[in-house]
Amino acid sequence: MVNEYKKILLLKGFELMDDYHFTSIKSLLAYDLGLTTKMQEEYNRIKITDLMEKKFQGVACLDKLIELAKDMPSLKNLVNNLRKEKSKVAKKIKTQEKAPVKKINQEEVGLAAPAPTARNKLTSEARGRIPVAQKRKTPNKEKTEAKRNKVSQEQSKPPGPSGASTSAAVDHPPLPQTSSSTPSNTSFTPKSVHKKNTIYEIQDNTGSMDVVGSGKWHNIKCEKGDKLRLFCLQLRTVDRKLKLVCGSHSFIKVIKAKKNKEGPMNVN
């Protein structure tokens, strides 16, 4: 279960943090992690996560990031999400801890039960046959529930582009996805409009990536060459590719290339 906190630290924390704030966090952790100036420049998000897991074991590694990030106003949403994910894992741990206790109590009751006498031996054997028949039906029920869960998970995934032209995934760090005082600009190239969402292809000096826009971010007015500022988007795997997906707290600002001004975002 320790790995669950590490997963949140990396995927929900550092990966959703832009370079400026990640560099700031490394500087604040330099003393605790024993980082030299060269290490601060060279260590990436994965390396810092590994060091934090060793230094602050269990939930302490996640608490340390929350403690440092909560004083940065532009990371307010990220901190709230980290606290929610931490609460989910804590509930999961409590549920798993209760299960063995229940099993032990049942075993103690079984040990305390008196040995069967000759009179009730036949009755006990007849009763014992009923649970066996019920147990045989259990695997079929579990398979049915597993299939239902699998279908629910597939339906809950964000819709991918149907017939859209998308660029291949490239080996580079994810584009900035959180609100910050210095968000990175990304250049918009083409877009593919579908019934429920729009796929925007963006580019910066690290490579290209698709942005899935839905709701009020469906088919926004932008042209090739415009700059897009992205705030609070979620990094998800859609059709085996990493994509930025708009959520309830997401925001996209369009900067027109010709006027070079940050005008209000237009929504169809």
Side-chain angles (χ1 to χ4, degrees):
M1 191 55 61
V2 175
N3 289 335
E4 290 292 329
Y5 293 115
K6 180 181 179 181
K7 186 191 298 183
I8 298 171
L9 178 68
L10 177 61
L11 301 182
K12 304 291 185 179
F14 288 143
E15 289 292 356
L16 300 184
M17 193 180 295
D18 61 23
D19 292 337
Y20 171 77
H21 287 94
F22 176 63
T23 302
S24 300
I25 294 295
K26 281 197 294 186
S27 178
L28 296 173
L29 288 170
Y31 178 78
D32 291 330
L33 301 182
L35 300 177
T36 63
T37 303
K38 185 177 180 181
M39 290 177 180
Q40 292 181 51
E41 294 175 355
E42 295 179 351
Y43 282 13
N44 58 17
R45 289 164 171 79
I46 297 175
K47 185 66 176 178
I48 294 298
T49 301
D50 291 339
L51 291 178
M52 288 188 68
E53 182 192 25
K54 293 179 181 178
K55 179 67 177 180
F56 311 103
Q57 297 183 359
V59 69
C61 65
L62 187 58
D63 287 337
K64 187 65 176 180
L65 178 59
I66 294 174
E67 178 187 350
L68 297 175
K70 70 180 181 180
D71 295 327
M72 301 180 182
S74 54
L75 296 182
K76 181 179 179 181
N77 290 335
L78 184 141
V79 171
N80 291 336
N81 289 335
L82 291 178
R83 287 171 173 165
K84 289 179 182 178
E85 294 297 328
K86 172 187 171 183
S87 178
K88 290 179 183 179
V89 175
K91 290 179 181 179
K92 186 176 179 181
I93 294 174
K94 288 183 180 179
T95 302
Q96 292 179 348
E97 288 176 349
K98 289 180 180 179
V101 174
K102 184 176 180 181
K103 185 176 180 181
I104 292 172
N105 291 338
Q106 290 176 346
E107 291 176 355
E108 291 175 353
V109 171
L111 292 174
T117 62
R119 179 178 294 179
N120 60 19
K121 184 176 181 181
L122 293 175
T123 304
S124 299
E125 291 177 353
R127 291 177 180 174
R129 295 193 189 101
I130 297 174
V132 172
Q134 293 177 347
K135 288 179 181 178
R136 290 175 181 173
K137 297 180 181 179
T138 303
N140 293 332
K141 186 182 292 184
E142 291 178 351
K143 290 180 180 178
T144 303
E145 292 177 353
K147 290 180 179 179
R148 290 177 182 173
N149 293 333
K150 185 177 181 180
V151 172
S152 300
Q153 291 175 357
E154 291 177 352
Q155 292 176 347
S156 64
K157 291 182 180 179
S162 56
S165 175
T166 58
S167 61
V170 292
D171 185 14
H172 66 280
L175 297 173
Q177 303 158 56
T178 57
S179 169
S180 68
S181 57
T182 57
S184 299
N185 289 337
T186 58
S187 297
F188 163 72
T189 48
K191 70 177 178 180
S192 301
V193 181
H194 304 278
K195 186 176 180 180
K196 294 184 179 180
N197 58 42
T198 303
I199 309 299
Y200 306 92
E201 184 177 311
I202 59 174
Q203 231 177 5
D204 67 1
N205 58 353
T206 63
S208 62
M209 181 173 284
D210 288 347
V211 176
V212 181
S214 57
K216 61 181 178 179
W217 310 119
H218 178 267
N219 196 16
I220 62 177
K221 291 183 179 180
C222 56
E223 300 175 354
K224 185 175 181 180
D226 289 348
K227 299 290 187 180
L228 298 183
R229 282 193 174 183
L230 310 176
F231 298 81
C232 295
L233 273 73
Q234 300 174 353
L235 184 65
R236 293 184 181 177
T237 301
V238 181
D239 294 336
R240 298 183 179 180
K241 290 177 61 177
L242 286 177
K243 297 184 181 183
L244 294 173
V245 180
C246 292
S248 56
H249 300 290
S250 300
F251 184 79
I252 300 176
K253 180 173 287 187
V254 179
I255 305 173
K256 293 296 181 181
K258 294 180 180 180
K259 297 180 180 181
N260 198 25
K261 291 184 179 180
E262 296 184 11
M265 190 282 304
N266 296 319
V267 180
N268 285 347

